[in-house]
Amino acid sequence: MIDVYVDGASSGNPGPSGAGIFIKGTPEGAKSFSIPLGRMTNHEAEYHALIHALKICIENGYQIVSFRTDSQLVEQAVEKEYVKKNLYQPLLQQVLVLKDELDLFFIKWIPSSQNKNADKLAREAIHLNKE
């Protein structure tokens, strides 16, 4: 099983944002990604981090994947397949479509203290945004 840790971060809310993705358990070893996301809210960045991570897993043929996030909002929305706020509905729909491309998909909330690698990568990604 592949373990994927995701985090989104924003400098300001909204503000320059980034996604951090830390993948372990791959045949190639651990992989790290810092992806600049442009200007958005922190919650949007959390969704985009998961979307990017799903795409990376699909592109690499990882089919049995466990995702970890410190965003309860994202974890609960994915588990319930429902989100109240209109802003997040298209993002949740993207997640639901992408997760169906995997053989096994798990998502689990973890405390921020267990998500330090992804958090660091997300914060680095903020600085990669073009001004």
Side-chain angles (χ1 to χ4, degrees):
M1 180 176 310
I2 307 295
D3 292 314
V4 180
Y5 294 79
V6 298
D7 199 14
S10 294
S11 179
N13 204 20
S17 301
I21 302 163
F22 181 72
I23 303 174
K24 61 185 204 177
T26 75
E28 308 86 24
K31 294 182 174 188
S32 300
F33 300 87
S34 289
I35 303 168
L37 299 173
R39 187 174 177 79
M40 62 183 62
T41 68
N42 187 64
H43 290 313
E44 288 173 293
E46 296 281 4
Y47 276 102
H48 281 280
L50 179 56
I51 290 165
H52 281 283
L54 281 159
K55 288 178 179 177
I56 290 166
C57 289
I58 292 164
E59 288 167 7
N60 285 280
Y62 307 147
Q63 286 297 306
I64 300 172
V65 188
S66 177
F67 289 84
R68 314 285 166 79
T69 178
D70 59 18
S71 171
Q72 288 181 317
L73 176 93
V74 170
E75 186 268 339
Q76 290 175 0
V78 174
E79 283 293 327
K80 295 176 183 175
E81 297 188 358
Y82 173 78
V83 66
K84 191 181 276 188
K85 200 167 187 179
N86 287 338
L87 177 64
Y88 307 136
Q89 287 177 354
L91 298 171
L92 176 59
Q93 286 309 309
Q94 280 186 56
V95 170
L96 297 177
V97 167
L98 290 168
K99 82 174 185 68
D100 285 345
E101 293 189 40
L102 303 175
D103 290 342
L104 276 175
F105 169 91
F106 302 97
I107 189 164
K108 179 182 179 184
W109 175 84
I110 57 172
S112 297
S113 62
Q114 294 177 21
N115 206 24
K116 289 184 178 176
N117 286 331
D119 177 69
K120 180 177 180 254
L121 294 164
R123 294 186 186 288
E124 289 172 2
I126 289 172
H127 301 292
L128 298 175
N129 283 289
K130 304 276 188 265
E131 289 299 320

